[in-house]
Amino acid sequence: MLGGSLLLAGPKALTAMMHAMSAQANTLNVSVLPPFVDPLPIPSIAKPSGMRPLPSSPKTSVPYYRLPAQPIDVKIHRDLKPTRFWAYGGSVPGPTLEMRSGEEVLVEWANDLPQQHFLPIDYRLHGAEGNPQVRIVTHLHGGRVPPDCDGYPEEWYVPGKSLTYRYPIRQEAAMLWYHDHAMGINRLNIYAGLFGAAIIRDKAEDALNLPSGKYEIPLMIFDRMITPEGQLYYPISEKPRAPWIPELFGDAILVNGKLFPYLEVEPRKYRFRVLNASNARFYHLAFQNGLEFHQIGTDQGFLPSPLALKKISLAPAERVDVVVDFGDSRGEQIVLKDTSFNVMQFRVSASKVSDTSSLPAQLAPVPRIAESQAVKTRLLTLDEYTSLTGETVELLLNASYWHDPITEKPGLNTTEIWSFINPTDDTHPIHLHAVRFQILDRQHYEPWDYSAKKEFRFLGPRTPPEPYEAGWKDTVGAHSRMVTRIIVPFDSYPGRYVWHCHILEHEDNEMMRPYEIVAG
Ligand code: C2O
Ligand code: CU
Ligand code: CU
């Protein structure tokens, strides 16, 4: 049977399978552990350690937070020994930053890590060569922040150092997240645990009377490989001098840092802020009993009105905001599943409760940006290069390396269309820093014609975004053999930012480019 599937699989899938097989020897099969024995942890809300004057205007004092990155040991399952992570502020995920639109905060991101990394660095990768092993720089994903506070990948710093970033919150209510962005080791640092949620609130959200307080819960989902000793395992390729692997998929699916936890809920409405914080895994989440999600928001804010869904799909870095009503599930135990994994369990109490929260029919307007607003259309290819034996060697954006000159220079306050042309076999979740955007459409095309003649032969009509992605986004799934078009107002700050694939292994191996928003 194995032989048959190898024959069908082709060289690329074959090497992937061999990696998976050799990795299995070093990892624990977590499906032998009893599920649903640990309660779901909920990260604490970060507390400011006082007020500090803004460096730019010393008469104004704003909340000041300090989030040090440090090693911690945490139990991810009742029956496992504590696992070593690197985490911000003492938990994995780190404490949730809560900020209000219109305010400004300072966050000191301190590097209190040891001098040596515990995950396998590939010194051939951009930024890893000749640099210290342990480096961090923190990015607020989805934040519209000035370029000097955005966590530019080359602005990393070593243990003992820190950087204080200023976040003027000028954007609508949304769930963002913060994570490491250090050049060439980003996949390892985030895998080690360096991320957390950041929630922006505003008046429009207040007026909706959604479930809040203990009825609003972040669910941050990430997969890991675990050794028989209960430690994080990050596999390497078969070439000791080129240890990079093209994607990390683990069979241990953690929610807020626990392996298949349970959550006791009341028979009422809850709001869940779901984030895919995995390196490479996509999730397709559904309740085993068919209970519905009411999706109310995307990466960057509310949908115009709730959308009832049986399944939610999330690429790495994507978020969904959902309301789930357990009101008709009194006394039930409901498992949330991914296609082939248990994710977590909800235990609904039998008691009667009164629920004064609402699920309003109208949320927030999302005015569609007309294509005629765009001053420019950029055609950008997503490129994967493989060796003769079918192994992925590197991935590029528009056939350009990180160190090539900047080619994307949109004008400040102009709108552009970016068309991602994906001839590869995979979906690449493409993320732009500093801005939000809308998905215009996707269209199948013939990759061979395009690469030979730079001419499009389309194989079907343009299809609009799925209803669940028809709001404001900062990450878009650019699907295989399709052209995916987004429309982007570059209305943040002038300066240098990055755009990249959010499969972290791709990002670390050249699938990231600088871009510059140009004033005037
Ligand atoms: Cu999640 Cu460059 O970011
Ligand atoms: Cu980002
Ligand atoms: Cu990719």
Side-chain angles (χ1 to χ4, degrees), residues 86 88 117 119-122 125-128 133 135-139 141 151-153 156 177-195 224 234 244 277-279 431 433 498 500-509 511-512:
W86 286 359
Y88 290 107
H117 219 297
L119 297 173
I121 294 176
D122 186 331
L125 300 185
H126 61 187
Q133 287 192 1
R135 305 172 276 121
I136 67 165
V137 62
T138 308
H139 167 60
H141 178 124
Y152 196 71
W156 49 261
W177 61 305
Y178 59 85
H179 61 72
D180 177 70
H181 221 302
M183 200 72 193
I185 52 167
N186 182 49
R187 71 195 183 292
L188 306 175
N189 284 354
I190 296 181
Y191 192 78
L194 291 172
F195 66 92
R224 295 294 183 268
Y234 190 98
W244 176 83
S278 297
N279 283 36
H431 168 53
H433 285 210
V498 302
H500 58 88
C501 175
H502 223 289
I503 291 177
L504 301 178
E505 285 72 29
H506 297 183
E507 173 185 349
D508 267 349
N509 196 356
M511 211 170 199
M512 173 164 72

Side-chain angles (χ1 to χ4, degrees), residues 144 411-414 434-436 488-493 517:
R144 180 200 255 182
L412 181 65
N413 297 323
T414 68
V435 290
R436 59 178 187 172
V488 197
F490 289 91
D491 54 2
S492 46
Y493 298 88
I517 301 178

Side-chain angles (χ1 to χ4, degrees), residues 247 382 395 426-430 501-503 506-507 511:
E247 281 104 23
L382 314 180
L395 300 107
D426 301 309
T427 294
H428 297 274
I430 301 296
C501 175
H502 223 289
I503 291 177
H506 297 183
E507 173 185 349
M511 211 170 199

Side-chain angles (χ1 to χ4, degrees), residues 20-34 75-83 191 223-235 249-254 259-260 281 341:
M21 287 192 293
S22 63
Q24 272 162 20
N26 305 313
T27 60
L28 180 71
N29 173 7
V30 298
S31 67
V32 303
L33 296 168
K75 273 178 81 78
I76 61 169
H77 186 277
R78 185 194 66 191
D79 299 344
L80 291 176
K81 294 206 195 78
T83 305
Y191 192 78
D223 61 331
R224 295 294 183 268
M225 286 178 150
I226 305 294
T227 67
E229 296 73 44
Q231 299 307 307
L232 295 182
Y233 178 70
Y234 190 98
F249 298 111
D251 65 347
I253 314 287
L254 287 83
L259 251 173
F260 17 77
R281 185 180 287 285
F341 296 96

Side-chain angles (χ1 to χ4, degrees), residues 121-360:
I121 294 176
D122 186 331
Y123 291 99
R124 300 165 314 133
L125 300 185
H126 61 187
E129 189 187 43
N131 282 324
Q133 287 192 1
V134 179
R135 305 172 276 121
I136 67 165
V137 62
T138 308
H139 167 60
L140 180 62
H141 178 124
R144 180 200 255 182
V145 306
D148 58 334
C149 296
D150 192 52
Y152 196 71
E154 289 174 337
E155 281 161 12
W156 49 261
Y157 45 97
V158 296
K161 302 269 186 228
S162 77
L163 259 186
T164 301
Y165 278 169
R166 129 187 118 86
Y167 299 131
I169 307 298
R170 300 199 189 117
Q171 60 191 105
E172 291 169 13
M175 181 202 202
L176 318 182
W177 61 305
Y178 59 85
H179 61 72
D180 177 70
H181 221 302
M183 200 72 193
I185 52 167
N186 182 49
R187 71 195 183 292
L188 306 175
N189 284 354
I190 296 181
Y191 192 78
L194 291 172
F195 66 92
I199 292 183
I200 295 180
R201 309 217 174 265
D202 66 10
K203 286 213 193 80
E205 177 188 35
D206 298 342
L208 294 174
N209 187 38
L210 292 161
S212 63
K214 64 174 178 164
Y215 304 111
E216 181 192 6
I217 295 174
L219 300 178
M220 292 174 257
I221 307 178
F222 50 105
D223 61 331
R224 295 294 183 268
M225 286 178 150
I226 305 294
T227 67
E229 296 73 44
Q231 299 307 307
L232 295 182
Y233 178 70
Y234 190 98
I236 54 172
S237 77
E238 264 118 69
K239 300 195 191 105
R241 276 184 301 127
W244 176 83
I245 53 161
E247 281 104 23
L248 178 291
F249 298 111
D251 65 347
I253 314 287
L254 287 83
V255 189
N256 296 354
K258 286 279 185 205
L259 251 173
F260 17 77
Y262 68 86
L263 177 67
E264 287 177 348
V265 293
E266 297 168 20
R268 53 159 288 150
K269 291 189 284 305
Y270 279 75
R271 180 180 183 192
F272 297 110
R273 317 297 298 264
V274 192
L275 158 70
N276 179 354
S278 297
N279 283 36
R281 185 180 287 285
F282 290 59
Y283 294 97
H284 306 281
L285 303 170
F287 288 109
Q288 205 165 24
N289 68 349
L291 188 67
E292 280 181 340
F293 305 93
H294 301 274
Q295 188 189 346
I296 56 172
T298 52
D299 303 336
Q300 283 283 327
F302 289 109
L303 286 170
S305 51
L307 180 68
L309 292 169
K310 294 264 186 203
K311 191 172 81 178
I312 53 183
S313 297
L314 283 171
E318 282 188 312
R319 287 88 72 204
V320 287
D321 194 350
V322 294
V323 169
V324 176
D325 192 348
F326 296 106
D328 292 332
S329 308
R330 219 166 273 142
E332 284 181 50
Q333 304 199 332
I334 309 170
V335 176
L336 178 69
K337 295 192 70 115
D338 180 49
T339 324
S340 43
F341 296 96
N342 285 331
V343 175
M344 66 177 289
Q345 182 195 52
F346 294 87
R347 299 182 183 167
V348 191
S349 66
S351 56
K352 269 213 148 131
V353 297
S354 73
D355 179 0
T356 54
S357 71
S358 352
L359 176 59

